[in-house]
C-alpha cells in the first residue's frame, strides 16, 4: 500500500511565522524532517539568537509533540535515556554539557574530574557552542575565515573518537553464557517439525553482544552451525530474517556487502544503507571484517562495481576520516562549507559534484546539521531540495542519505522503511534488512517508531502487518517491539 504524499524535506530551520506550527496535535503529517514549533530557527524566549544550532529533538512519541516533559532539564541539555549498550546515535550522551559550555583551550589538559580516556562512554568532550566566537588563537594549520576549500584543514583540535556501535568493537565479557538459549534453539529445530515461536522469541530478544555469545555457544556445544541449522529448518524471508539475527550486525553487514557486489549489477541501496553515515570506528570494523571474511579488499570491490564520480564518492566514505562527533562546530567553517556548496551547485552553471560529496562525507553529524540550518537561513532554500535539483541517480540518493543522517536519523530510517513497503509489492529484502538493522539499537527503534507515526499517521507495526504474513510477519513485529 503506497503512501500517496511525497516524502519531502521542508526548509530546515525556517524563520518564525514563515512555516507556522501545525494546527492539529501530534500525529499530523509534515514534510520530511520538519522540526516541532520553536525547535529550529525560532528559538523560544530566552534562547540565544540565530547562530546557535538547533538542540537535539525530543524523542518521538515521548510527549505531546512540542511539549516539554515534566521536570525537563535546561534547554539544550540531553534527556537521560536508558542505555542500550551505549547512547543512541545523534543524541547528546548523558552528562554532555549543553551547547555553549566552555572548554579548555587547544593543548590544555582535560578537566581534573575526567582523566584522559575516562570520560563516559560515547560522550564527546565539551566544545564551544555553534554561534559563539572561536577561541582567540586558531590551532596550528587551521585555515583563516573564508578560506576556500571543500574540506576542513588537515589539523584540527583533538576530538575524542566516537566509540564503535555495539557489536562493532572489541569482544567484551558479558554476564551471559547463552547455554539455556542454545539448548532452546536446538530443541526447536531438532526432530520432526520446527518451533518457529521459540526461534523468534530467542533470536529477536538478544543484543549484538549476546547474539555473538549465543551463536558461538550453539556451535561449540552441539558441534553444529546455527546458521546452517536455521537454513535447513526454515525458508523464505523468515529464513533470511532469522539468519540476519544470528549473524549479528557486523557479520550481516559483511554478508550483504559481498552479496550486493557479487554477480551482475550492484545493489546500490544496500551500499547506501550499510556504508553511508557510519562512524569512523564502525567503518574500520566493517572493512576489517570484510577483509577477514572474504579475503578481499572492500575498497577494491567497490571500485570494481561503481564508476566515475560515484566511485570516488564511496572511496571518500571508505577512507573513514569523518570529523568525530566531539569535534567543535565552528561557525566560520560552517559558513565556508555553505558557500562552497552554493558555489558548487546553485551558484554556477553545472554542478561540481565532488565538492558536495567531500563535505558531506567528511563532516560530523552535528556539523552537517549546522550546514543544513545555515544554508536555509542564508539562501532561504532547503539543502535537500538543492541536492535533488542538482543531482540524480545513485549519487543523489547517497547524498540525501548522508544529509538526513545529520539532520534527523530517526526520520531518515522511517522513510527508508516506508520506501521498502510503498508501491506495488513489498521490497521484502530491504524491509527485512532495515528492520533488523534498526532493531539492534532499541532506543533508536523507539525514535524511528515515533517518527514513522508522526510522518505517516499510522503505527509502524500496523504498516508491517499489512505488508507481511505468517512467521515472517511475526518475526518483523517482534523485532520492531
Amino acid at each position: 500500500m503506497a503512501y500517496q504524499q511525497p516524502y519531502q524535506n521542508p526548509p530546515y530551520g525556517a524563520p518564525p511565522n514563515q512555516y507556522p506550527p501545525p494546527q492539529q496535535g501530534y500525529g499530523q503529517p509534515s514534510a520530511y524532517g520538519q522540526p516541532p514549533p520553536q525547535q529550529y530557527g525560532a528559538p523560544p524566549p530566552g534562547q540565544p539568537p540565530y547562530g546557535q544550532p538547533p538542540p537535539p529533538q525530543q524523542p518521538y512519541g515521548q510527549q505531546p509533540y512540542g511539549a516539554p516533559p515534566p521536570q525537563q532539564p535546561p534547554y539544550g541539555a540531553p534527556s537521560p535515556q536508558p542505555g542500550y549498550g551505549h547512547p543512541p546515535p545523534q543524541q547528546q550522551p548523558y552528562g554532555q554539557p549543553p551547547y555553549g559550555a566552555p572548554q579548555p583551550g587547544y593543548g590544555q589538559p582535560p578537566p581534573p574530574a575526567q582523566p584522559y580516556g575516562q570520560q563516559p562512554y560515547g560522550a564527546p568532550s565539551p566544545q564551544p557552542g555553534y554561534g559563539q566566537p572561536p577561541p582567540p588563537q586558531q590551532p596550528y594549520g587551521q585555515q583563516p575565515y573564508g578560506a576556500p576549500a571543500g574540506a576542513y584543514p588537515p589539523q584540527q583540535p583533538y576530538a575524542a573518537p566516537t566509540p564503535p556501535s555495539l557489536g562493532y568493537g572489541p569482544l567484551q565479557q558479558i554476564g551471559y553464557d547463552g547455554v539455556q538459549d542454545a539448548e532452546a534453539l536446538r530443541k526447536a529445530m531438532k526432530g520432526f517439525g520446527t518451533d518457529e515461536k521459540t526461534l523468534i522469541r530467542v533470536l529477536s530478544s538478544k543484543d549484538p553482544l549476546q547474539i555473538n555469545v549465543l551463536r558461538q555457544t550453539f556451535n561449540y556445544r552441539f558441534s553444529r552451525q546455527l546458521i546452517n541449522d536455521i537454513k535447513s529448518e526454515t525458508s523464505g524471508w523468515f529464513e533470511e530474517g532469522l539468519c540476519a539475527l544470528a549473524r549479528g550486525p557486523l557479520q550481516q553487514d559483511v554478508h550483504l556487502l559481498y552479496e550486493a557486489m557479487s554477480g551482475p549489477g550492484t545493489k546500490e541501496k544496500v551500499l547506501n544503507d550499510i556504508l553511508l553515515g557510519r562512524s569512523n570506528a564502525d567503518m574500520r570494523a566493517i572493512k576489517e571484517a570484510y577483509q577477514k571474511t572474504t579475503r578481499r579488499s572492500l575498497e577494491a570491490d567497490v571500485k570494481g562495481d561503481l564508476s566515475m564520480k560515484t566511485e570516488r564518492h564511496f572511496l571518500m566514505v571508505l577512507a573513514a576520516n569523518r570529523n568525530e562527533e566531539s569535534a567543535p562546530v565552528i561557525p566560520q567553517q560552517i559558513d565556508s562549507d555553505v558557500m562552497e556548496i552554493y558555489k558548487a551547485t546553485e551558484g554556477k552553471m553545472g554542478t561540481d559534484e565532488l565538492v558536495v560529496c567531500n563535505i558531506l562525507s567528511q563532516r560530523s553529524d552535528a556539523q552537517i546539521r549546522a550546514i543544513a540550518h545555515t544554508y536555509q537561513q542564508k539562501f532561504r532554500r532547503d539543502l535537500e531540495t538543492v541536492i535533488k535539483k542538482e543531482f540524480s541517480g545513485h549519487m543523489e540518493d547517497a547524498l540525501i542519505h548522508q544529509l538526513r543522517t545529520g539532520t534527523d536519523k530517526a526520520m531518515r530510517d522511517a522513510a527508508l522503511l516506508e520506501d521498502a513497503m510503498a508501491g506495488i509489492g513489498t521490497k521484502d529484502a530491504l524491509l527485512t534488512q532495515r528492520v533488523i538493522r534498526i532493531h539492534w539499537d532499541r532506543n533508536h527503534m523507539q525514535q524511528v517508531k515515533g517518527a514513522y507515526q508522526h510522518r505517516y499517521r499510522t503505527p509502524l507495526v500496523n504498516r508491517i502487518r499489512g505488508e507481511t504474513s505468517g512467521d515472517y510477519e511475526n518475526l518483523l513485529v517482534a523485532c520492531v517491539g
Side-chain angles (χ1 to χ4, degrees), residues 85-208:
H86 63 89
Q90 285 201 349
Q91 296 192 17
Q92 223 171 4
Y94 183 80
Q96 179 176 341
Y99 279 107
Q103 69 169 359
Y106 176 68
Q108 295 185 8
Q114 293 289 345
Y116 178 79
Q118 299 300 317
Q119 66 186 69
Y121 182 73
S125 57
Q127 62 184 40
Y130 176 58
Q132 296 188 7
Q137 294 185 355
Q138 292 179 333
Y140 175 76
Q142 179 170 326
Q143 291 175 330
Y145 171 68
Y152 281 172
Q155 297 199 17
Q156 288 284 312
Y158 172 77
T162 303
S165 302
L166 204 63
Y168 290 80
L171 295 178
Q172 303 179 30
Q173 294 294 329
I174 61 174
Y176 171 76
D177 61 15
V179 172
Q180 185 176 352
D181 286 327
E183 292 180 345
L185 290 176
R186 178 65 180 137
K187 182 179 178 181
M189 295 184 286
K190 186 178 181 181
F192 181 77
T194 304
D195 185 353
E196 290 86 358
K197 290 183 179 179
T198 296
L199 296 180
I200 294 172
R201 175 182 58 81
V202 172
L203 292 175
S204 68
S205 60
K206 301 298 177 286
D207 68 27

Side-chain angles (χ1 to χ4, degrees), residues 247-384:
R247 291 187 186 102
L250 178 57
Q251 287 303 319
Q252 175 68 359
D253 283 351
V254 171
H255 173 77
L256 292 177
L257 286 170
Y258 183 77
E259 280 198 336
M261 295 182 288
S262 299
T266 302
K267 301 179 180 67
E268 288 87 357
K269 289 186 177 182
V270 174
L271 299 185
N272 292 353
D273 286 357
I274 296 174
L275 297 178
L276 300 179
R278 304 301 291 260
S279 68
N280 293 333
D282 284 4
M283 182 63 69
R284 295 185 188 110
I286 291 170
K287 291 196 297 182
E288 181 179 346
Y290 189 91
Q291 175 75 45
K292 182 177 180 180
T293 303
T294 67
R295 306 298 180 186
R296 299 165 65 92
S297 161
L298 181 56
E299 290 93 339
D301 282 357
V302 167
K303 287 180 67 175
D305 275 70
L306 301 179
S307 60
M308 301 178 68
K309 292 181 179 179
T310 304
E311 172 195 326
R312 294 178 64 183
H313 182 194
F314 272 78
L315 291 179
M316 294 176 190
V317 171
L318 290 171
N321 60 359
R322 292 186 70 192
N323 294 335
E324 301 291 352
E325 288 307 312
S326 58
V329 179
I330 301 175
Q332 289 88 338
Q333 292 177 330
I334 298 301
D335 288 341
S336 176
D337 283 343
V338 166
M339 289 308 301
E340 288 294 324
I341 292 174
Y342 175 78
K343 289 186 292 185
T345 55
E346 296 183 289
K348 63 174 293 185
M349 293 292 292
T351 304
D352 192 344
E353 296 92 343
L354 293 181
V355 169
V356 183
C357 293
N358 192 41
I359 291 174
L360 293 185
S361 298
Q362 292 193 356
R363 303 303 180 259
S364 68
D365 290 346
Q367 291 163 348
I368 291 174
R369 190 156 52 248
I371 289 168
H373 173 70
T374 305
Y375 197 100
Q376 165 66 30
Q377 293 291 331
K378 186 180 292 289
F379 298 109
R380 300 301 180 200
R381 279 184 295 281
D382 177 36
L383 183 53
E384 180 167 326

